[in-house]
Amino acid sequence: MQFMLLFSRQGKLRLQKWYVPLSDKEKKKITRELVQTVLARKPKMCSFLEWRDLKVVYKRYASLYFCCAIEEQDNELITLEIIHRYVELLDKYFGSVCELDIIFNFEKAYFILDEFLLGGEAQETSKKNVLKAIEQADLLQENIDFQMRLFAGVMVPNMASESSGLFQN
Amino acid sequence: MSPSIPLQEMIRAIRSARTQCEERGVIQRECAAIRAQFRQVDNGGARSHNLAKLLYVHMLGYPAHFGQMECVRMIASPRYSEKRVGYLGAMMLLDEKQDASLLITNSIKNDLAHSNQYVQSLALCTLACMGSAEMCRDLAPEIDRLLRASNSYIKKKAALCAVHIVRKVHDLGELFAPAARSLLAEKNHGVLHGAVVLITQLCERNPEALERFRKTVPDLVQIMKGLVISGYSPEHDVAGISDPFLQVRILRLLRILGRHNETASDAMNDLLAQVATNTDSTKTVGNAVLYETVLTVLDIKSESGLRVLAVNILGRFLLNNDRNIRYIAMTSLQRIVGTDHNAVQRHRGTIVDCLKDQDASVKRRALELSLALVSASNIRTMMKELLLFLSSCPPGAQSSSCQRHIPCGRKAGGDVRDETVPNLIQLITNTSELHCYTVHKLYRALLTDISQPSLVQVACWCIGEYGDLLLKGECQETEPSQVTEDDALDALETVLQSHMSSPATRGFALTATMKLSTRITENVDRIRSIVSIYGSCMDVELQQRAVEYNALFRKYDHMRAAVLERMPVIEKNSSGHTNGETAGDAVKEIQPAAVKQTGPLLPQQPANQVCDLLDLLGGSEEPLQPSTALGLPNSTSTAGGDLLDLLGGLELTPLAPAPTVPVYEKDGVSLTLICEKTSDSGMTVTLTASNSTDSDISVFTLQAAVPKSVQLHMKAPSGDFLPARGAAKVTQMVALNNPNKVNLKMRIRISYNTSQGSAYQDTVQIDSFPGL
């Protein structure tokens, strides 16, 4: 996958993940054009379109468009499944996810995406495992904060000693 | 220093801004606060929130480059929460083109060796997302180490990180090959998936690696079998398919390994047959696996039975209700139409049906496939379908479809039905944005081959009509080429002189040559000489045309530009048979008489060449017809009359001169009227004004009013300047339609400026119209 975009029906960007190096200007241009193209399509049309030299796979879930740009050799139908899997993960994590969840917790949406896709490819095919990993990472984050509050004023302890034993597999 | 508001507060504030300006204000304030916070040394737990806020602002499109150094700092922080946001910021704000990205290489290296796997995971993720070639080279040994000795959570990430490294630095593939091989023995699906992706990447890049990894085919087949046959595994199941993501990747790898290799292909035959028959195709996920299977079967050296199975699966896809499935079926068929032509032909009916689909991308695919399937045997039915499709196409799609239609027309060549020529011409006039491209392409086609009459006819017509576009040279959709006027005339002359051209085609070429006389500037004399040569041609049709055109040059040169003007867009012929839509009937020879009476002008042109030469009278109308659009008196009646008029050239005065009636006379300005009935309820009134005073009159305008039920249409006047002493007149035509046959009256208002500059206005009522 080259990039993934999430945008609303009004064309507002909610998430963008780029797996290819492009300048900010180029990214903005691509985003603008692609958003326009996808929003112009009618509801019953095909989920695949050819855009520039890429294949674009998009799917609409409620008010959000999930749009992925894949390469020539990639399987479009499995990309649809990848998009669906990501939505399922968000749904499980936020509990009946809606666009607002993604707006106000955008960094969490990114963390979940990064636990599911890596470098543009799926890294974990089991839904359960992805959710477990996120949960543990969130716990790790909270734990540190909790400990920070407890030991306010004291030197920040070394990460290694904090995490020893608790989270290693 | 303003207190920093939490992230969610800021998002709420931004969203509640009612105008763009207000939003900008909020963001500017926040960014200022964030910048101030960044400058502080240590901010407790607020640092990650500030960076998160900045990232949100960045996503909205505002500049956030001042956060780059903060990302670098955060990544180096010992706190997990800060690292997490720091790495996220790095992936969003830093790309390999930024200098700051190199600064994080060391942090990543440290974190890759961290004791906590979630920290390691952050580093791996960031490296795989935005690692530059330099960073990759630096850290590759680390990744290799992780590939061999770590837990599955890290191994699967390391594998995909290695994929990224290999993409960036091809040589490093060698480094990862051994580790990749051993990963195939793992049980964990995530690791297996990563391993398969890595091996795919290595094989795609390096033929040697490909050779070595061919030995893994049995292992891959084994894994795949396990997935397909095994019972329900809740963890990886998607709608009854066990881990479709892994299945698809394995199939793709098998495709690469089996290509051009008999042994490898043999080893996977059974498996592919099994997957193809056992996979449930009711849901998308099943179809995804089947799709990949079909692609693999068609690409490797599979046995024929398996190939037939694959094409049949595609055929089933074509009938699927889901538009997506139909689309990819056609994409796949397109790939094999060259090699397995007969197999694809069997599904031609369904493909042609897809031409009628609502979706533009499906239609485009169907069109490409249909064009590829056109062959000598099915040309008639296919052309009918294709023309139907083109005529129902919206203009945007027409451009790409026309582009393909033209080469198809060339291929179809002599077999094309007669009525495709007027249809194609009608289509071309309708797609105005394509004129430039079309004329260039057809000109080039003409240069290479003039043996196919229909193509030559269309090409000549286009060169004549759009010659100015051809000579202009620039065209967006083709390579620029300089076509000179001589080149274009040479091409037309070649057609004229060639023994391969039918009389009909020659007629096209001659008319096109004539039309070019108004489109070009320098070689008008050459055109005159060509035209006059044909004045003594043996072919009577050509001779007649040439003589008329000659007359156009000689006697009526002032009208030449108007007569040879660009044709208006042709309406679809309502009588239907010139559009070839008759279902299944044999071609009806176009009845010239019938067509003469019905609508569009152009279809008559080819029709007349095809038909009886005795219809010279029908043919002679042809150069004059464009003029009727300009309101010049209709000379059809003349041509229909005297045969002897053929040699006399154009006869433009009306048959029965209508009486000229003076209707207004005052102060030297006089207005006369000529009335002419054009149809049962319609008539044309010509008003002529002249000025007998000693001074000029300017801005001379006429306005007319008629009773309510009468329809009035004023044509453009010949001018608005009346020179003194009747040196010139101004004429204006008015078309009237009186369906209710009321008593016709007309009130005319005359207004003009005298030479002294004063404005003058007067009204006159006309109660009787002689000549009615």
Side-chain angles (χ1 to χ4, degrees):
Chain A
M1 194 184 300
Q2 292 213 353
F3 57 85
M4 181 191 268
L5 302 172
L6 261 75
F7 49 92
S8 70
R9 306 245 294 132
Q10 287 78 40
K12 287 199 119 84
L13 202 58
R14 298 299 177 206
L15 189 145
Q16 50 174 336
K17 189 77 189 181
W18 297 83
Y19 295 108
V20 286
L22 288 168
S23 72
D24 241 358
K25 214 168 87 166
E26 285 169 323
K27 285 184 192 166
K28 285 213 177 102
K29 181 158 181 261
I30 291 176
T31 307
R32 202 175 37 234
E33 282 178 21
L34 194 53
V35 168
Q36 253 174 24
T37 312
V38 172
L39 286 177
R41 284 173 76 84
K42 301 202 221 21
K44 283 278 167 67
M45 289 175 92
C46 195
S47 282
F48 315 128
L49 57 104
E50 273 132 44
W51 185 80
R52 297 197 184 181
D53 59 337
L54 294 169
K55 299 199 274 197
V56 172
V57 179
Y58 73 94
K59 191 143 186 224
R60 190 177 137 215
Y61 287 86
S63 57
L64 268 184
Y65 281 89
F66 288 70
C67 192
C68 295
I70 57 177
E71 278 145 354
E72 188 59 44
Q73 329 89 292
D74 292 327
N75 183 328
E76 294 98 320
L77 293 177
I78 210 75
T79 311
L80 275 177
E81 287 301 312
I82 287 183
I83 293 177
H84 190 72
R85 173 58 66 90
Y86 181 48
V87 174
E88 282 180 327
L89 289 167
L90 288 170
D91 194 52
K92 211 54 199 281
Y93 182 82
F94 287 111
S96 220
V97 69
C98 64
E99 193 184 337
L100 279 179
D101 290 319
I102 301 182
I103 295 171
F104 281 95
N105 300 290
F106 71 97
E107 79 277 17
K108 300 251 170 54
Y110 273 105
F111 296 148
I112 297 173
L113 185 63
D114 285 338
E115 219 32 74
F116 175 45
L117 299 178
L118 197 92
E121 307 281 348
Q123 57 176 290
E124 178 58 66
T125 55
S126 151
K127 220 184 334 185
K128 190 181 79 177
N129 287 348
V130 178
L131 291 168
K132 197 166 71 173
I134 304 266
E135 204 185 296
Q136 299 283 25
D138 280 347
L139 266 177
L140 183 62
Q141 178 162 337
E142 265 175 56
N143 251 355
I144 306 300
D145 287 349
F146 175 67
Q147 295 205 350
M148 280 303 303
R149 280 197 289 278
L150 265 184
F151 296 110
V154 178
M155 280 268 290
V156 177
N158 194 329
M159 277 281 280
S161 60
E162 272 174 347
S163 55
S164 57
L166 273 180
F167 297 105
Q168 292 282 43
N169 272 18
Chain B
M1 182 198 59
S2 54
S4 64
I5 59 176
L7 169 65
Q8 307 218 335
E9 278 294 318
M10 183 193 81
I11 297 179
R12 215 164 277 136
I14 292 174
R15 280 170 62 78
S16 60
R18 268 161 294 140
T19 64
Q20 183 78 346
C21 194
E22 221 180 297
E23 179 183 291
R24 258 199 300 264
V26 174
I27 289 177
Q28 265 169 10
R29 270 199 312 275
E30 281 304 316
C31 284
I34 293 170
R35 253 192 288 239
Q37 305 266 345
F38 284 170
R39 272 182 249 126
Q40 292 189 292
V41 173
D42 183 26
N43 218 355
R47 275 171 79 193
S48 51
H49 294 302
N50 283 324
L51 188 54
K53 281 195 274 184
L54 184 61
L55 294 179
Y56 183 80
V57 163
H58 171 73
M59 191 156 61
L60 290 178
Y62 294 89
H65 43 270
F66 58 89
Q68 286 177 4
M69 285 316 293
E70 185 66 12
C71 290
V72 175
R73 268 193 296 262
M74 300 270 276
I75 288 174
S77 151
R79 291 180 211 152
Y80 180 71
S81 56
E82 290 179 2
K83 271 198 204 284
R84 216 181 186 192
V85 181
Y87 274 117
L88 180 62
M91 286 191 271
M92 285 176 74
L93 300 180
L94 296 174
D95 55 49
E96 59 179 46
K97 300 197 180 126
Q98 309 284 350
D99 296 326
S101 63
L102 284 174
L103 298 172
I104 62 174
T105 313
N106 210 34
S107 297
I108 294 183
K109 194 169 193 168
N110 290 337
D111 285 338
L112 282 175
H114 202 278
S115 50
N116 185 308
Q117 65 179 11
Y118 296 104
V119 175
Q120 285 176 306
S121 137
L122 288 176
L124 284 165
C125 184
T126 308
L127 183 60
C129 181
M130 47 75 72
S132 66
E134 288 231 12
M135 291 163 73
C136 290
R137 250 187 280 264
D138 263 344
L139 300 166
E142 282 296 309
I143 305 296
D144 188 49
R145 193 180 59 80
L146 290 172
L147 266 181
R148 296 167 195 277
S150 57
N151 57 36
S152 13
Y153 181 74
I154 295 298
K155 267 195 193 149
K156 73 184 190 216
K157 293 181 192 256
L160 292 177
C161 204
V163 170
H164 177 85
I165 293 178
V166 172
R167 275 202 198 120
K168 284 281 176 208
V169 187
H170 302 337
D171 310 326
L172 288 172
E174 286 293 314
L175 174 64
F176 296 119
R181 180 82 179 75
S182 55
L183 282 178
L184 278 182
E186 298 268 338
K187 292 279 173 271
N188 181 297
H189 281 224
V191 179
L192 272 177
H193 187 273
V196 171
V197 176
L198 178 57
I199 297 176
T200 311
Q201 189 64 219
L202 294 174
C203 292
E204 275 175 355
R205 305 255 163 209
N206 189 341
E208 278 174 24
L210 178 60
E211 285 298 325
R212 267 184 283 143
F213 278 109
R214 270 219 187 91
K215 298 186 214 110
T216 64
V217 169
D219 300 320
L220 292 166
V221 168
Q222 205 54 38
I223 298 171
M224 194 64 192
K225 269 212 173 89
L227 289 172
V228 174
I229 301 175
S230 73
Y232 176 71
S233 149
E235 203 174 322
H236 297 112
D237 182 273
V238 182
I241 314 265
S242 185
D243 207 339
F245 304 105
L246 183 56
Q247 287 196 26
V248 164
R249 288 318 299 233
I250 292 182
L251 286 166
R252 189 162 140 186
L253 179 55
L254 286 174
R255 180 156 81 241
I256 296 173
L257 295 175
R259 214 180 263 155
H260 310 309
N261 188 295
E262 289 271 355
T263 0
S265 306
D266 281 336
M268 42 180 104
N269 249 316
D270 282 341
L271 168 72
L272 292 171
Q274 197 168 25
V275 178
T277 40
N278 286 350
T279 308
D280 177 23
S281 60
T282 48
K283 295 265 172 69
T284 310
V285 64
N287 286 326
V289 176
L290 278 174
Y291 176 44
E292 200 73 33
T293 315
V294 164
L295 288 178
T296 303
V297 167
L298 295 174
D299 218 8
I300 64 173
K301 290 185 174 295
S302 49
E303 41 176 61
S304 56
L306 197 51
R307 285 187 92 85
V308 169
L309 181 58
V311 178
N312 285 347
I313 292 179
L314 288 179
R316 249 182 24 230
F317 277 0
L318 277 178
L319 298 168
N320 196 306
N321 281 330
D322 189 344
R323 196 168 268 129
N324 294 335
I325 310 279
R326 286 207 296 273
Y327 177 87
I328 55 152
M330 285 195 278
T331 316
S332 321
L333 286 171
Q334 184 82 33
R335 276 186 243 194
I336 60 164
V337 77
T339 48
D340 295 72
H341 193 90
N342 293 329
V344 185
Q345 279 283 3
R346 247 177 274 140
H347 302 283
R348 198 184 69 229
T350 331
I351 294 168
V352 168
D353 278 338
C354 284
L355 281 172
K356 304 188 189 102
D357 197 301
Q358 299 280 0
D359 183 319
S361 5
V362 174
K363 273 204 279 215
R364 199 177 319 144
R365 281 263 169 263
L367 177 67
E368 278 178 21
L369 206 44
S370 312
L371 287 173
L373 288 176
V374 165
S375 71
S377 49
N378 61 28
I379 181 65
R380 289 194 173 268
T381 35
M382 290 297 277
M383 283 310 274
K384 187 162 67 162
E385 292 289 341
L386 286 171
L387 280 168
L388 249 174
F389 164 71
L390 279 176
S391 47
S392 62
C393 233
Q398 270 186 355
S399 45
S400 44
S401 36
C402 266
Q403 288 184 16
R404 290 182 197 104
H405 194 80
I406 291 166
C408 177
R410 199 179 314 147
K411 205 193 341 175
D415 226 19
V416 172
R417 267 193 205 152
D418 299 317
E419 66 255 32
T420 52
V421 172
N423 279 327
L424 187 54
I425 288 177
Q426 180 206 317
L427 271 171
I428 291 173
T429 54
N430 275 318
T431 49
S432 49
E433 67 270 18
L434 259 200
H435 289 165
C436 192
Y437 172 82
T438 315
V439 71
H440 272 86
K441 259 257 157 0
L442 285 170
Y443 171 76
R444 273 198 214 112
L446 200 60
L447 287 181
T448 47
D449 174 22
I450 56 168
S451 61
Q452 296 165 9
S454 327
L455 184 64
V456 173
Q457 285 172 8
V458 176
C460 287
W461 189 88
C462 281
I463 294 176
E465 212 32 38
Y466 308 121
D468 46 340
L469 291 174
L470 178 66
L471 296 168
K472 216 162 53 168
E474 9 150 303
C475 181
Q476 279 173 328
E477 286 138 41
T478 64
E479 325 87 66
S481 67
Q482 211 38 46
V483 180
T484 63
E485 298 175 356
D486 275 318
D487 292 335
L489 287 173
D490 282 339
L492 289 173
E493 251 191 309
T494 319
V495 175
L496 274 172
Q497 290 162 359
S498 162
H499 62 278
M500 288 192 278
S501 305
S502 68
T505 315
R506 285 218 186 87
F508 267 95
L510 190 60
T511 311
T513 315
M514 190 60 194
K515 280 193 209 169
L516 275 184
S517 72
T518 51
R519 315 263 195 271
I520 66 177
T521 47
E522 289 168 1
N523 281 325
V524 186
D525 285 333
R526 185 175 167 187
I527 294 184
R528 283 189 77 146
S529 57
I530 295 176
V531 165
S532 43
I533 288 173
Y534 281 88
S536 42
C537 176
M538 288 297 286
D539 184 301
V540 190
E541 162 79 21
L542 277 181
Q543 189 190 105
Q544 180 211 324
R545 283 184 188 220
V547 167
E548 282 167 358
Y549 295 153
N550 247 338
L552 202 54
F553 269 120
R554 272 186 292 114
K555 279 199 259 173
Y556 303 102
D557 203 28
H558 57 282
M559 275 189 232
R560 188 160 49 89
V563 170
L564 298 172
E565 215 180 56
R566 192 69 71 82
M567 296 216 73
V569 169
I570 296 165
E571 298 296 318
K572 248 184 135 135
N573 190 341
S574 55
S575 67
H577 54 249
T578 49
N579 280 348
E581 275 165 355
T582 47
D585 282 353
V587 180
K588 282 191 205 149
E589 267 314 309
I590 297 163
Q591 310 299 320
V595 176
K596 231 192 289 182
Q597 276 140 33
T598 55
L601 312 169
L602 184 65
Q604 293 185 35
Q605 181 188 21
N608 287 332
Q609 279 107 55
V610 173
C611 73
D612 214 353
L613 267 180
L614 285 177
D615 251 315
L616 284 174
L617 307 175
S620 72
E621 294 171 32
E622 182 262 330
L624 300 178
Q625 273 151 3
S627 67
T628 56
L630 300 170
L632 287 178
N634 201 331
S635 64
T636 32
S637 42
T638 330
D642 218 342
L643 246 181
L644 292 173
D645 260 328
L646 281 176
L647 302 173
L650 306 175
E651 199 64 73
L652 288 174
T653 55
L655 271 179
T660 311
V661 178
V663 292
Y664 177 84
E665 175 76 49
K666 196 171 174 186
D667 291 343
V669 177
S670 63
L671 193 63
T672 61
L673 179 148
I674 298 173
C675 218
E676 201 183 302
K677 232 175 138 41
T678 54
S679 72
D680 194 36
S681 64
M683 53 190 280
T684 314
V685 172
T686 311
L687 299 160
T688 315
S690 71
N691 170 17
S692 56
T693 64
D694 284 336
S695 48
D696 298 334
I697 281 176
S698 60
V699 199
F700 183 87
T701 39
L702 294 170
Q703 289 164 299
V706 286
K708 272 215 179 76
S709 60
V710 181
Q711 290 146 11
L712 173 88
H713 179 58
M714 293 196 82
K715 308 261 167 90
S718 64
D720 67 350
F721 185 75
L722 280 174
R725 288 179 278 274
K729 298 188 196 299
V730 164
T731 49
Q732 185 157 16
M733 306 250 305
V734 182
L736 296 168
N737 193 19
N738 187 1
N740 298 348
K741 303 272 198 304
V742 302
N743 196 8
L744 190 61
K745 297 181 200 293
M746 190 191 293
R747 193 173 294 167
I748 299 182
R749 180 184 296 164
I750 303 159
S751 48
Y752 56 85
N753 286 355
T754 60
S755 55
Q756 286 91 25
S758 50
Y760 186 80
Q761 229 181 50
D762 204 358
T763 321
V764 65
Q765 177 141 335
I766 307 166
D767 294 322
S768 68
F769 289 82
L772 257 183

